[in-house]
Amino acid sequence: DQQVKQNSPSLSVQEGRISILNCDYTNSMFDYFLWYKKYPAEGPTFLISISSIKDKNEDGRFTVFLNKSAKHLSLHIVPSQPGDSAVYFCAASASGAGSYQLTFGKGTKLSVIP
Amino acid sequence: DTAVSQTPKYLVTQMGNDKSIKCEQNLGHDTMYWYKQDSKKFLKIMFSYNNKELIINETVPNRFSPKSPDKAHLNLHINSLELGDSAVYFCASSQDGGDYEQYFGPGTRLTVT
């Protein structure tokens, strides 16, 4: 029962172009969403987050969009750089329930081609 | 100056042994977590501790036990190791649960032979 789904296991993008990573969720209790970036043999690194009261959050080259009605969020990276090549995990939490749990998607491996 | 550190990074052991993985955070966070990343690459929560109290205990075998001597440490003890316990275990911490991002350690790759 995957509550957070990342349906694309991999994505290849040319350097300088836009990378769009997608994430869908099924649990309507989720109200906080995060993106993590992971390099091999390292732990996930927090990238950007968004609360359900917003539909967009931007931080430099990274923008996360949230569509609550569609239960869909996406991460845009513009422009993409070779150093962005990593696995990106989408995560969600239902903070109001007193839960401290993050539910992760399976990840999307992004390859940025120089 | 590592924020969340774990030791050891690699752990190879035989079935039936008991082992521990240590985790320390120097961020002053209130909550610490243990996650397991299995062979299918899913990251799943195992435990979390807030101010020395266990607040989540997912359906993990009771061979796994978290121990928190203080707010900065959350160690994971595993008894009677089984082949299926082979995975990468990540420790994490956050300022508070829910809305605050979690910071992860580098992971411990456990291999049970």
Side-chain angles (χ1 to χ4, degrees), chain B residues 3-4 9-10 18 22 24 26-27 41 46-47 56 58 63-65 68 71 74 79 88 90-91 98 104 112-113:
Chain B
V4 182
K9 191 164 177 63
Y10 300 96
D18 303 336
K22 294 184 177 181
E24 177 181 1
N26 61 7
L27 298 166
K41 304 301 181 186
M46 298 178 71
F47 303 104
I56 293 179
E58 292 295 309
R63 299 180 293 104
F64 290 79
S65 57
S68 180
K71 199 172 84 165
L74 183 64
N79 295 325
V88 181
F90 290 98
C91 176
F104 284 77
V112 183
T113 61

PDB file of all heavy atoms in Angstrom, chain B residues 3-4 9-10 18 22 24 26-27 41 46-47 56 58 63-65 68 71 74 79 88 90-91 98 104 112-113:
ATOM      1  N   ALA B   3      26.420  16.818  11.417  1.00  0.00           N
ATOM      2  CA  ALA B   3      25.206  17.093  12.153  1.00  0.00           C
ATOM      3  C   ALA B   3      24.625  15.806  12.755  1.00  0.00           C
ATOM      4  O   ALA B   3      24.298  15.765  13.934  1.00  0.00           O
ATOM      5  CB  ALA B   3      24.198  17.761  11.238  1.00  0.00           C
ATOM      6  N   VAL B   4      24.471  14.784  11.919  1.00  0.00           N
ATOM      7  CA  VAL B   4      23.968  13.488  12.368  1.00  0.00           C
ATOM      8  C   VAL B   4      24.999  12.435  11.959  1.00  0.00           C
ATOM      9  O   VAL B   4      25.291  12.305  10.775  1.00  0.00           O
ATOM     10  CB  VAL B   4      22.602  13.157  11.745  1.00  0.00           C
ATOM     11  CG1 VAL B   4      22.084  11.819  12.290  1.00  0.00           C
ATOM     12  CG2 VAL B   4      21.594  14.266  12.037  1.00  0.00           C
ATOM     13  N   LYS B   9      29.707   2.493   9.723  1.00  0.00           N
ATOM     14  CA  LYS B   9      29.157   2.723   8.391  1.00  0.00           C
ATOM     15  C   LYS B   9      28.822   1.396   7.698  1.00  0.00           C
ATOM     16  O   LYS B   9      27.866   1.307   6.942  1.00  0.00           O
ATOM     17  CB  LYS B   9      30.136   3.521   7.533  1.00  0.00           C
ATOM     18  CG  LYS B   9      29.513   4.023   6.231  1.00  0.00           C
ATOM     19  CD  LYS B   9      30.369   5.101   5.606  1.00  0.00           C
ATOM     20  CE  LYS B   9      29.793   5.550   4.271  1.00  0.00           C
ATOM     21  NZ  LYS B   9      28.461   6.158   4.409  1.00  0.00           N
ATOM     22  N   TYR B  10      29.636   0.403   7.971  1.00  0.00           N
ATOM     23  CA  TYR B  10      29.399  -0.935   7.436  1.00  0.00           C
ATOM     24  C   TYR B  10      29.456  -1.940   8.584  1.00  0.00           C
ATOM     25  O   TYR B  10      30.290  -1.819   9.479  1.00  0.00           O
ATOM     26  CB  TYR B  10      30.453  -1.317   6.386  1.00  0.00           C
ATOM     27  CG  TYR B  10      30.488  -0.390   5.193  1.00  0.00           C
ATOM     28  CD1 TYR B  10      31.398   0.657   5.136  1.00  0.00           C
ATOM     29  CD2 TYR B  10      29.605  -0.569   4.140  1.00  0.00           C
ATOM     30  CE1 TYR B  10      31.422   1.503   4.047  1.00  0.00           C
ATOM     31  CE2 TYR B  10      29.631   0.275   3.047  1.00  0.00           C
ATOM     32  CZ  TYR B  10      30.545   1.310   3.008  1.00  0.00           C
ATOM     33  OH  TYR B  10      30.570   2.148   1.929  1.00  0.00           O
ATOM     34  N   ASP B  18      24.031 -10.536  17.986  1.00  0.00           N
ATOM     35  CA  ASP B  18      23.411  -9.301  18.469  1.00  0.00           C
ATOM     36  C   ASP B  18      24.349  -8.151  18.124  1.00  0.00           C
ATOM     37  O   ASP B  18      25.549  -8.242  18.366  1.00  0.00           O
ATOM     38  CB  ASP B  18      23.204  -9.337  19.983  1.00  0.00           C
ATOM     39  CG  ASP B  18      22.368 -10.519  20.442  1.00  0.00           C
ATOM     40  OD1 ASP B  18      21.572 -11.038  19.620  1.00  0.00           O
ATOM     41  OD2 ASP B  18      22.507 -10.919  21.608  1.00  0.00           O
ATOM     42  N   LYS B  22      25.093   2.974  16.468  1.00  0.00           N
ATOM     43  CA  LYS B  22      24.997   4.185  17.267  1.00  0.00           C
ATOM     44  C   LYS B  22      24.654   5.394  16.395  1.00  0.00           C
ATOM     45  O   LYS B  22      25.050   5.466  15.234  1.00  0.00           O
ATOM     46  CB  LYS B  22      26.315   4.435  18.000  1.00  0.00           C
ATOM     47  CG  LYS B  22      26.639   3.372  19.039  1.00  0.00           C
ATOM     48  CD  LYS B  22      27.895   3.726  19.807  1.00  0.00           C
ATOM     49  CE  LYS B  22      28.166   2.680  20.893  1.00  0.00           C
ATOM     50  NZ  LYS B  22      29.375   3.009  21.679  1.00  0.00           N
ATOM     51  N   GLU B  24      24.267   9.800  16.743  1.00  0.00           N
ATOM     52  CA  GLU B  24      24.393  11.023  17.531  1.00  0.00           C
ATOM     53  C   GLU B  24      24.065  12.222  16.664  1.00  0.00           C
ATOM     54  O   GLU B  24      24.456  12.280  15.498  1.00  0.00           O
ATOM     55  CB  GLU B  24      25.821  11.154  18.075  1.00  0.00           C
ATOM     56  CG  GLU B  24      26.064  12.425  18.856  1.00  0.00           C
ATOM     57  CD  GLU B  24      27.500  12.541  19.363  1.00  0.00           C
ATOM     58  OE1 GLU B  24      28.302  11.623  19.083  1.00  0.00           O
ATOM     59  OE2 GLU B  24      27.797  13.537  20.040  1.00  0.00           O
ATOM     60  N   ASN B  26      24.153  16.601  16.734  1.00  0.00           N
ATOM     61  CA  ASN B  26      24.637  17.776  17.473  1.00  0.00           C
ATOM     62  C   ASN B  26      23.863  19.029  17.074  1.00  0.00           C
ATOM     63  O   ASN B  26      24.374  20.143  17.138  1.00  0.00           O
ATOM     64  CB  ASN B  26      26.139  17.963  17.255  1.00  0.00           C
ATOM     65  CG  ASN B  26      26.495  18.200  15.789  1.00  0.00           C
ATOM     66  OD1 ASN B  26      25.612  18.361  14.947  1.00  0.00           O
ATOM     67  ND2 ASN B  26      27.782  18.217  15.486  1.00  0.00           N
ATOM     68  N   LEU B  27      22.600  18.815  16.647  1.00  0.00           N
ATOM     69  CA  LEU B  27      21.769  19.919  16.177  1.00  0.00           C
ATOM     70  C   LEU B  27      20.850  20.453  17.263  1.00  0.00           C
ATOM     71  O   LEU B  27      20.113  21.408  17.027  1.00  0.00           O
ATOM     72  CB  LEU B  27      20.933  19.454  14.983  1.00  0.00           C
ATOM     73  CG  LEU B  27      21.750  19.018  13.758  1.00  0.00           C
ATOM     74  CD1 LEU B  27      20.874  18.262  12.775  1.00  0.00           C
ATOM     75  CD2 LEU B  27      22.378  20.232  13.098  1.00  0.00           C
ATOM     76  N   LYS B  41      14.582  -0.372  -2.022  1.00  0.00           N
ATOM     77  CA  LYS B  41      14.943   1.043  -1.904  1.00  0.00           C
ATOM     78  C   LYS B  41      13.912   1.892  -1.165  1.00  0.00           C
ATOM     79  O   LYS B  41      14.035   3.109  -1.142  1.00  0.00           O
ATOM     80  CB  LYS B  41      15.243   1.665  -3.271  1.00  0.00           C
ATOM     81  CG  LYS B  41      16.325   0.931  -4.044  1.00  0.00           C
ATOM     82  CD  LYS B  41      17.624   0.888  -3.279  1.00  0.00           C
ATOM     83  CE  LYS B  41      18.702   0.168  -4.075  1.00  0.00           C
ATOM     84  NZ  LYS B  41      19.938  -0.015  -3.272  1.00  0.00           N
ATOM     85  N   MET B  46      11.099   3.199  11.377  1.00  0.00           N
ATOM     86  CA  MET B  46      11.065   2.110  12.357  1.00  0.00           C
ATOM     87  C   MET B  46      10.664   2.646  13.724  1.00  0.00           C
ATOM     88  O   MET B  46       9.762   2.151  14.360  1.00  0.00           O
ATOM     89  CB  MET B  46      12.439   1.452  12.444  1.00  0.00           C
ATOM     90  CG  MET B  46      12.924   0.812  11.156  1.00  0.00           C
ATOM     91  SD  MET B  46      14.553   0.109  11.341  1.00  0.00           S
ATOM     92  CE  MET B  46      14.201  -1.304  12.382  1.00  0.00           C
ATOM     93  N   PHE B  47      11.405   3.641  14.183  1.00  0.00           N
ATOM     94  CA  PHE B  47      11.147   4.212  15.504  1.00  0.00           C
ATOM     95  C   PHE B  47      11.392   5.713  15.463  1.00  0.00           C
ATOM     96  O   PHE B  47      12.130   6.206  14.625  1.00  0.00           O
ATOM     97  CB  PHE B  47      12.112   3.644  16.559  1.00  0.00           C
ATOM     98  CG  PHE B  47      12.103   2.162  16.688  1.00  0.00           C
ATOM     99  CD1 PHE B  47      13.128   1.411  16.149  1.00  0.00           C
ATOM    100  CD2 PHE B  47      11.079   1.521  17.362  1.00  0.00           C
ATOM    101  CE1 PHE B  47      13.131   0.032  16.274  1.00  0.00           C
ATOM    102  CE2 PHE B  47      11.076   0.142  17.487  1.00  0.00           C
ATOM    103  CZ  PHE B  47      12.103  -0.599  16.941  1.00  0.00           C
ATOM    104  N   ILE B  56       6.736   6.617  18.245  1.00  0.00           N
ATOM    105  CA  ILE B  56       6.246   5.748  17.178  1.00  0.00           C
ATOM    106  C   ILE B  56       6.974   4.423  17.294  1.00  0.00           C
ATOM    107  O   ILE B  56       8.154   4.390  17.475  1.00  0.00           O
ATOM    108  CB  ILE B  56       6.516   6.323  15.777  1.00  0.00           C
ATOM    109  CG1 ILE B  56       5.711   7.586  15.531  1.00  0.00           C
ATOM    110  CG2 ILE B  56       6.170   5.290  14.702  1.00  0.00           C
ATOM    111  CD1 ILE B  56       5.960   8.205  14.200  1.00  0.00           C
ATOM    112  N   GLU B  58       6.682   1.357  14.825  1.00  0.00           N
ATOM    113  CA  GLU B  58       6.047   0.683  13.707  1.00  0.00           C
ATOM    114  C   GLU B  58       6.142  -0.828  13.880  1.00  0.00           C
ATOM    115  O   GLU B  58       6.759  -1.315  14.811  1.00  0.00           O
ATOM    116  CB  GLU B  58       6.709   1.101  12.388  1.00  0.00           C
ATOM    117  CG  GLU B  58       6.457   2.531  12.006  1.00  0.00           C
ATOM    118  CD  GLU B  58       4.998   2.790  11.716  1.00  0.00           C
ATOM    119  OE1 GLU B  58       4.409   2.041  10.926  1.00  0.00           O
ATOM    120  OE2 GLU B  58       4.436   3.736  12.298  1.00  0.00           O
ATOM    121  N   ARG B  63      12.870  -7.862  18.128  1.00  0.00           N
ATOM    122  CA  ARG B  63      14.329  -8.056  18.193  1.00  0.00           C
ATOM    123  C   ARG B  63      15.045  -6.712  18.037  1.00  0.00           C
ATOM    124  O   ARG B  63      16.234  -6.602  18.361  1.00  0.00           O
ATOM    125  CB  ARG B  63      14.786  -9.009  17.080  1.00  0.00           C
ATOM    126  CG  ARG B  63      14.180 -10.403  17.153  1.00  0.00           C
ATOM    127  CD  ARG B  63      14.688 -11.283  16.020  1.00  0.00           C
ATOM    128  NE  ARG B  63      14.240 -10.839  14.724  1.00  0.00           N
ATOM    129  CZ  ARG B  63      14.993 -10.187  13.840  1.00  0.00           C
ATOM    130  NH1 ARG B  63      16.256  -9.895  14.139  1.00  0.00           N
ATOM    131  NH2 ARG B  63      14.503  -9.833  12.671  1.00  0.00           N
ATOM    132  N   PHE B  64      14.330  -5.738  17.504  1.00  0.00           N
ATOM    133  CA  PHE B  64      14.883  -4.401  17.332  1.00  0.00           C
ATOM    134  C   PHE B  64      14.452  -3.539  18.516  1.00  0.00           C
ATOM    135  O   PHE B  64      13.257  -3.468  18.822  1.00  0.00           O
ATOM    136  CB  PHE B  64      14.357  -3.761  16.036  1.00  0.00           C
ATOM    137  CG  PHE B  64      14.885  -4.389  14.788  1.00  0.00           C
ATOM    138  CD1 PHE B  64      14.350  -5.582  14.329  1.00  0.00           C
ATOM    139  CD2 PHE B  64      15.904  -3.793  14.062  1.00  0.00           C
ATOM    140  CE1 PHE B  64      14.834  -6.176  13.170  1.00  0.00           C
ATOM    141  CE2 PHE B  64      16.379  -4.377  12.906  1.00  0.00           C
ATOM    142  CZ  PHE B  64      15.845  -5.562  12.451  1.00  0.00           C
ATOM    143  N   SER B  65      15.403  -2.895  19.136  1.00  0.00           N
ATOM    144  CA  SER B  65      15.039  -2.029  20.261  1.00  0.00           C
ATOM    145  C   SER B  65      15.875  -0.750  20.211  1.00  0.00           C
ATOM    146  O   SER B  65      17.105  -0.803  20.174  1.00  0.00           O
ATOM    147  CB  SER B  65      15.231  -2.750  21.594  1.00  0.00           C
ATOM    148  OG  SER B  65      16.563  -3.195  21.725  1.00  0.00           O
ATOM    149  N   SER B  68      17.768   5.356  24.004  1.00  0.00           N
ATOM    150  CA  SER B  68      18.191   6.751  23.967  1.00  0.00           C
ATOM    151  C   SER B  68      18.736   7.160  25.320  1.00  0.00           C
ATOM    152  O   SER B  68      17.977   7.494  26.229  1.00  0.00           O
ATOM    153  CB  SER B  68      17.001   7.637  23.576  1.00  0.00           C
ATOM    154  OG  SER B  68      17.384   8.997  23.538  1.00  0.00           O
ATOM    155  N   LYS B  71      19.127  13.103  24.858  1.00  0.00           N
ATOM    156  CA  LYS B  71      18.421  13.676  23.709  1.00  0.00           C
ATOM    157  C   LYS B  71      19.260  13.647  22.436  1.00  0.00           C
ATOM    158  O   LYS B  71      18.734  13.682  21.340  1.00  0.00           O
ATOM    159  CB  LYS B  71      18.033  15.125  24.037  1.00  0.00           C
ATOM    160  CG  LYS B  71      16.934  15.678  23.164  1.00  0.00           C
ATOM    161  CD  LYS B  71      16.476  17.037  23.683  1.00  0.00           C
ATOM    162  CE  LYS B  71      17.373  18.140  23.183  1.00  0.00           C
ATOM    163  NZ  LYS B  71      16.766  19.493  23.362  1.00  0.00           N
ATOM    164  N   LEU B  74      20.440   8.215  19.835  1.00  0.00           N
ATOM    165  CA  LEU B  74      19.427   7.159  19.705  1.00  0.00           C
ATOM    166  C   LEU B  74      20.102   5.954  19.049  1.00  0.00           C
ATOM    167  O   LEU B  74      20.392   5.964  17.866  1.00  0.00           O
ATOM    168  CB  LEU B  74      18.235   7.614  18.863  1.00  0.00           C
ATOM    169  CG  LEU B  74      17.111   6.580  18.741  1.00  0.00           C
ATOM    170  CD1 LEU B  74      16.483   6.305  20.104  1.00  0.00           C
ATOM    171  CD2 LEU B  74      16.040   7.029  17.747  1.00  0.00           C
ATOM    172  N   ASN B  79      18.782  -7.900  18.140  1.00  0.00           N
ATOM    173  CA  ASN B  79      19.101  -9.230  18.692  1.00  0.00           C
ATOM    174  C   ASN B  79      18.785 -10.322  17.675  1.00  0.00           C
ATOM    175  O   ASN B  79      17.906 -10.158  16.813  1.00  0.00           O
ATOM    176  CB  ASN B  79      18.291  -9.478  19.968  1.00  0.00           C
ATOM    177  CG  ASN B  79      18.655  -8.530  21.079  1.00  0.00           C
ATOM    178  OD1 ASN B  79      19.815  -8.130  21.222  1.00  0.00           O
ATOM    179  ND2 ASN B  79      17.675  -8.143  21.858  1.00  0.00           N
ATOM    180  N   VAL B  88      20.072  -1.027   4.639  1.00  0.00           N
ATOM    181  CA  VAL B  88      20.773   0.181   5.081  1.00  0.00           C
ATOM    182  C   VAL B  88      19.884   0.862   6.118  1.00  0.00           C
ATOM    183  O   VAL B  88      18.690   1.088   5.866  1.00  0.00           O
ATOM    184  CB  VAL B  88      21.071   1.146   3.920  1.00  0.00           C
ATOM    185  CG1 VAL B  88      21.832   2.361   4.443  1.00  0.00           C
ATOM    186  CG2 VAL B  88      21.874   0.441   2.834  1.00  0.00           C
ATOM    187  N   PHE B  90      19.157   4.138   8.461  1.00  0.00           N
ATOM    188  CA  PHE B  90      19.447   5.570   8.563  1.00  0.00           C
ATOM    189  C   PHE B  90      18.878   6.120   9.860  1.00  0.00           C
ATOM    190  O   PHE B  90      17.729   5.860  10.219  1.00  0.00           O
ATOM    191  CB  PHE B  90      18.819   6.349   7.398  1.00  0.00           C
ATOM    192  CG  PHE B  90      19.469   6.101   6.076  1.00  0.00           C
ATOM    193  CD1 PHE B  90      18.925   5.191   5.178  1.00  0.00           C
ATOM    194  CD2 PHE B  90      20.622   6.786   5.709  1.00  0.00           C
ATOM    195  CE1 PHE B  90      19.517   4.969   3.948  1.00  0.00           C
ATOM    196  CE2 PHE B  90      21.217   6.563   4.486  1.00  0.00           C
ATOM    197  CZ  PHE B  90      20.670   5.649   3.605  1.00  0.00           C
ATOM    198  N   CYS B  91      19.695   6.901  10.521  1.00  0.00           N
ATOM    199  CA  CYS B  91      19.252   7.661  11.671  1.00  0.00           C
ATOM    200  C   CYS B  91      18.917   9.074  11.190  1.00  0.00           C
ATOM    201  O   CYS B  91      19.512   9.562  10.207  1.00  0.00           O
ATOM    202  CB  CYS B  91      20.391   7.708  12.689  1.00  0.00           C
ATOM    203  SG  CYS B  91      20.065   8.709  14.135  1.00  0.00           S
ATOM    204  N   GLY B  98       6.617  16.127  12.478  1.00  0.00           N
ATOM    205  CA  GLY B  98       5.635  16.632  11.545  1.00  0.00           C
ATOM    206  C   GLY B  98       6.156  17.678  10.578  1.00  0.00           C
ATOM    207  O   GLY B  98       6.690  17.368   9.539  1.00  0.00           O
ATOM    208  N   PHE B 104      19.275  13.563   8.032  1.00  0.00           N
ATOM    209  CA  PHE B 104      19.680  12.163   8.047  1.00  0.00           C
ATOM    210  C   PHE B 104      21.176  11.981   8.242  1.00  0.00           C
ATOM    211  O   PHE B 104      21.989  12.797   7.810  1.00  0.00           O
ATOM    212  CB  PHE B 104      19.277  11.483   6.729  1.00  0.00           C
ATOM    213  CG  PHE B 104      17.808  11.173   6.644  1.00  0.00           C
ATOM    214  CD1 PHE B 104      16.895  12.169   6.369  1.00  0.00           C
ATOM    215  CD2 PHE B 104      17.353   9.886   6.849  1.00  0.00           C
ATOM    216  CE1 PHE B 104      15.533  11.886   6.299  1.00  0.00           C
ATOM    217  CE2 PHE B 104      15.996   9.587   6.773  1.00  0.00           C
ATOM    218  CZ  PHE B 104      15.091  10.599   6.505  1.00  0.00           C
ATOM    219  N   VAL B 112      23.901  -9.396   6.836  1.00  0.00           N
ATOM    220  CA  VAL B 112      23.824 -10.587   7.681  1.00  0.00           C
ATOM    221  C   VAL B 112      24.081 -11.818   6.812  1.00  0.00           C
ATOM    222  O   VAL B 112      23.396 -12.017   5.805  1.00  0.00           O
ATOM    223  CB  VAL B 112      22.459 -10.692   8.371  1.00  0.00           C
ATOM    224  CG1 VAL B 112      22.420 -11.902   9.300  1.00  0.00           C
ATOM    225  CG2 VAL B 112      22.156  -9.421   9.148  1.00  0.00           C
ATOM    226  N   THR B 113      25.075 -12.605   7.183  1.00  0.00           N
ATOM    227  CA  THR B 113      25.437 -13.779   6.368  1.00  0.00           C
ATOM    228  C   THR B 113      25.059 -15.078   7.070  1.00  0.00           C
ATOM    229  O   THR B 113      24.801 -15.090   8.277  1.00  0.00           O
ATOM    230  CB  THR B 113      26.930 -13.787   6.078  1.00  0.00           C
ATOM    231  OG1 THR B 113      27.637 -13.854   7.323  1.00  0.00           O
ATOM    232  CG2 THR B 113      27.355 -12.516   5.344  1.00  0.00           C
TER     233      THR B 113
END
